[in-house]
């Protein structure tokens, strides 16, 4: 049995302080004041869970401000640029999203990010702080439920392809939230270069070169952006023309879990709504569940991202390979194989869960999504193992996460040997998840 290990009271107070300092206009939270000065889609989901623990109303405002950026077609963009910030690129002038795609005149990016927001809505609705404060907020939740359903509609109608329409496509590495995952290496080599003369990176300096994505990755990220901008982000022929089209495990796993959670939320919000929407959610749950099975690699004993063009599965095994557990899409046998893999990785690293297979030749302990441990994926993986009855693994991931934060504070990511905290400090989702997951 793994000992229960929680973050100290002082550190929890520090976590509240970080969210408060990273809060803007008392309605949204930047991931990091220095490195990411806007509102990010999946960051805000994790961050809202943290707010729910000490300022319940603020959690709802976090979600509401994300939806200010929602497009008329239902898409929730990966960044909402509420206020212009000169220290970040690419900004609104690089994306140039036309105003007519949105209801409100706020600038946004032109792609999405892993859809955690429906699950977050359900978790906030059922959070103990809501019940104790006898909130009268069903109308607010109903509005957010409808917006989230429109987001699901967009995924299933605009981002799936026939004949099965069962897996959603990601068109950019930023859509997976795992920007420079080695899964994308070969695909990015085939992205034609666009004119980059107007673009300058603002995320690198002499101190963090070994921790950020390489220049060649950034060239491909921006070439995709400029190509999509030319074609039109919401044009029907964008998907067939896109040079990067993948079946992404993060995106599909989070969408599936969100469909399950939204179904439960509809039942809590109203019995009429529940009767109307049940079949809608069930159909989505069936489709994505069977779609994810196509991404199982028997020889790896793990799920892998897939190239939608060639249908090839993309090596190596990454931390996203565990997320179908969180989605409830894995069989018992698959869960067992994943538990085995988890144990092998931890044996090699000392701490859980590295971003990629630590024995892969692509592994880099400090470079972003190519090796380090991240708090948000740790939480999702622990939830998945818990759901499948692997309580010891879930407790071990939690204990490792708490210890890393005790050692290094609220860093953006941590080396899997437990020796360094890297990236931005005072990072919002690390602080938020400590409050939500690592207290007591
Ligand atoms: C980076 C991460 C992404 C995150 C964003 C803001 O782009 O890869 O997952 O959402 O920063 O924190």
């Amino acid at each position: 049995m793994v000992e229960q290990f929680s973050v100290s009271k002082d550190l929890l107070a520090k976590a509240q302080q970080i969210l408060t300092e990273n809060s803007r206009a008392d309605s949204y939270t930047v991931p990091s004041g220095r490195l990411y000065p806007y509102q990010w889609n999946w960051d805000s989901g994790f961050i809202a869970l943290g707010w729910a623990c000490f300022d319940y109303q603020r959690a709802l405002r976090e979600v509401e401000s994300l939806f200010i950026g929602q497009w008329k077609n239902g898409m929730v963009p990966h960044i909402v640029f509420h206020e212009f910030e000169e220290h970040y690129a690419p900004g609104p002038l690089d994306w140039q999203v036309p105003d007519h795609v949105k209801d409100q005149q706020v600038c946004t990016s032109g792609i999405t990010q892993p859809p955690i927001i429906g699950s977050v809505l359900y978790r906030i609705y059922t959070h103990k702080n809501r019940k104790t404060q006898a909130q009268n907020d069903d109308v607010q939740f109903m509005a957010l439920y409808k917006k989230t359903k429109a987001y699901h509609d967009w995924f299933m109608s605009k981002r799936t392809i026939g004949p099965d329409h069962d897996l959603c496509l990601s068109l950019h590495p930023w859509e997976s939230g795992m920007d420079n995952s080695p899964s994308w290496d070969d695909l990015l080599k085939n992205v034609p270069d666009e004119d980059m003369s107007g673009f300058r990176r603002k995320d690198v300096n002499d101190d963090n070169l070994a921790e950020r994505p390489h220049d060649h990755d950034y060239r491909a990220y921006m070439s995709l952006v400029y190509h999509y901008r030319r074609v039109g982000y919401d044009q029907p022929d964008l998907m067939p023309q896109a040079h990067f089209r993948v079946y992404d495990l993060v995106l599909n796993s989070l969408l599936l879990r969100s469909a399950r959670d939204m179904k439960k939320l509809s039942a809590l919000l109203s019995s009429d709504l529940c009767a109307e929407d049940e079949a809608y959610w069930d159909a989505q749950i069936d489709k994505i569940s069977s779609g994810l099975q196509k991404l199982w690699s028997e020889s790896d004993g793990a799920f892998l991202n897939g190239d939608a063009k060639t249908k090839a599965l993309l090596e190596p095994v990454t931390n996203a390979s565990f997320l179908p557990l969180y989605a409830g899409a894995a069989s018992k046998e698959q869960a067992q194989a994943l538990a085995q893999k988890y144990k092998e990785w931890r044996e090699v690293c000392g701490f859980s869960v590295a971003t990629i297979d630590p024995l892969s030749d692509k592994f880099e302990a400090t470079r972003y999504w190519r090796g380090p441990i991240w708090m948000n994926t740790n939480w999702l993986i622990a939830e998945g193992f818990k759901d499948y009855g692997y309580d010891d693994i879930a407790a071990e991931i939690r204990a490792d996460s708490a210890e890393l934060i005790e050692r290094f504070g609220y860093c953006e990511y941590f080396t899997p040997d437990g020796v360094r905290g890297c990236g931005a400090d005072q990072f919002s989702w690390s602080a938020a998840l400590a409050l939500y997951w690592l207290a007591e």
Side-chain angles (χ1 to χ4, degrees):
M1 203 49 174
V2 177
E3 208 188 319
Q4 183 84 347
F5 190 101
S6 308
V7 162
S8 71
K9 285 222 160 54
D10 283 356
L11 268 172
L12 292 174
K14 175 77 187 157
Q16 292 193 10
Q17 189 193 330
I18 289 175
L19 292 192
T20 308
E21 282 172 7
N22 288 347
S23 173
R24 299 288 179 269
D26 200 21
S27 62
Y28 69 96
T29 314
V30 298
S32 141
R34 187 172 54 82
L35 204 53
Y36 311 106
Y38 291 111
Q39 183 176 26
W40 262 259
N41 182 334
W42 76 328
D43 294 66
S44 267
F46 300 114
I47 289 166
L49 295 177
W51 279 113
C53 302
F54 70 105
D55 182 348
Y56 188 81
Q57 291 300 330
R58 180 62 183 77
L60 262 186
R61 287 204 295 283
E62 185 76 30
V63 179
E64 280 171 338
S65 46
L66 179 67
F67 279 104
I68 290 177
Q70 184 167 34
W71 288 14
K72 286 182 188 156
N73 66 9
M75 186 186 84
V76 181
H78 102 290
I79 307 178
V80 185
F81 302 111
H82 294 281
E83 297 280 341
F84 183 68
E85 241 296 343
E86 59 178 318
H87 302 295
Y88 182 84
L93 298 175
D94 298 295
W95 287 97
Q96 289 182 20
V97 170
D99 279 346
H100 66 80
V101 303
K102 293 167 268 119
D103 282 326
Q104 308 221 24
Q105 300 305 305
V106 64
C107 294
T108 70
S109 68
I111 56 172
T112 193
Q113 243 196 343
I116 186 91
I117 208 69
S119 297
V120 167
L121 209 53
Y122 170 69
R123 282 174 185 269
I124 298 180
Y125 190 83
T126 52
H127 195 278
K128 62 178 186 329
N129 285 351
R130 177 169 185 276
K131 294 195 206 104
T132 53
Q133 292 175 23
Q135 302 291 342
N136 191 12
D137 50 15
D138 269 15
V139 174
Q140 258 173 301
F141 272 97
M142 187 65 98
L144 290 169
Y145 171 89
K146 287 187 180 147
K147 290 176 183 186
T148 309
K149 189 176 169 208
Y151 188 25
H152 275 257
D153 273 345
W154 173 79
F155 270 116
M156 299 311 286
S157 61
K158 300 282 199 276
R159 283 295 185 88
T160 57
I161 41 176
D164 298 331
H165 294 281
D166 54 358
L167 277 175
C168 292
L169 271 76
S170 148
L171 303 187
H172 198 291
W174 288 336
E175 292 202 314
S176 76
M178 301 190 173
D179 312 6
N180 65 338
S181 166
S183 309
W184 324 135
D185 284 0
D186 289 340
L187 305 183
L188 291 183
K189 285 181 197 144
N190 297 327
V191 173
D193 277 351
E194 298 272 330
D195 175 9
M196 213 62 58
S197 50
F199 180 75
R200 193 171 59 81
R201 284 180 78 173
K202 295 188 181 170
D203 63 311
V204 273
N205 54 48
D206 290 345
D207 296 337
N208 70 1
L209 271 180
E211 297 176 12
R212 301 287 309 170
H214 291 288
D215 271 349
H216 58 253
D217 289 326
Y218 249 82
R219 168 165 284 278
Y221 303 155
M222 288 313 298
S223 292
L224 289 170
V225 170
Y226 290 150
H227 179 220
Y228 298 165
R229 184 173 91 183
R230 233 185 18 254
V231 178
Y233 299 108
D234 64 339
Q235 291 306 310
D237 48 354
L238 179 67
M239 199 158 60
Q241 287 195 37
H243 298 298
F244 181 93
R245 279 206 306 263
V246 305
Y247 296 127
D248 172 42
L249 284 169
V250 191
L251 200 150
N252 282 286
S253 299
L254 268 52
L255 191 69
L256 173 52
R257 177 65 181 256
S258 175
R260 294 186 194 281
D261 290 335
M262 288 285 285
K263 181 178 164 188
K264 288 192 265 177
L265 182 60
S266 73
L268 295 174
L269 283 174
S270 107
S271 48
D272 287 349
L273 181 68
C274 173
E276 268 171 43
D277 283 5
E278 197 175 355
Y280 173 87
W281 294 118
D282 281 342
Q284 238 173 71
I285 291 166
D286 281 356
K287 271 191 186 298
I288 311 170
S289 303
S290 63
L292 276 166
Q293 282 304 322
K294 297 179 187 165
L295 301 180
W296 176 255
S297 159
E298 201 55 53
S299 56
D300 289 283
F303 292 90
L304 292 175
N305 289 306
D307 178 359
K309 283 189 191 167
T310 62
K311 305 282 180 283
L313 294 179
L314 300 166
E315 300 283 353
V317 179
T318 69
N319 58 353
S321 301
F322 298 100
L323 294 184
L325 295 171
Y326 167 80
S331 66
K332 272 195 181 142
E333 293 71 27
Q334 288 167 336
Q336 207 173 2
L338 290 169
Q340 182 55 35
K341 183 133 322 250
Y342 165 87
K343 287 179 186 154
E344 288 163 14
W345 286 23
R346 189 167 186 288
E347 184 81 25
V348 176
C349 295
F351 280 80
S352 284
V353 179
T355 341
I356 72 162
D357 180 350
L359 298 178
S360 156
D361 57 5
K362 300 276 176 102
F363 179 81
E364 291 179 75
T366 61
R367 199 180 295 282
Y368 223 38
W369 296 97
R370 302 175 80 86
I373 292 173
W374 293 74
M375 280 302 138
N376 65 334
T377 41
N378 264 15
W379 174 64
L380 296 168
I381 295 168
E383 285 292 297
F385 274 122
K386 198 170 69 187
D387 290 347
Y388 278 78
Y390 291 89
D391 290 350
D392 263 22
I393 294 185
E396 186 172 74
I397 299 174
R398 187 182 184 280
D400 283 357
S401 304
E403 189 162 344
L404 288 170
I405 286 175
E406 286 284 345
R407 284 189 191 180
F408 307 110
Y410 295 108
C411 296
E412 189 180 0
Y413 40 93
F414 305 83
T415 58
D417 55 6
V419 169
R420 266 187 64 194
C422 312
D425 52 8
Q426 326 270 328
F427 191 66
S428 295
W429 80 36
S430 301
L433 287 170
L435 291 164
Y436 186 73
W437 178 39
L438 304 175
E440 282 146 44

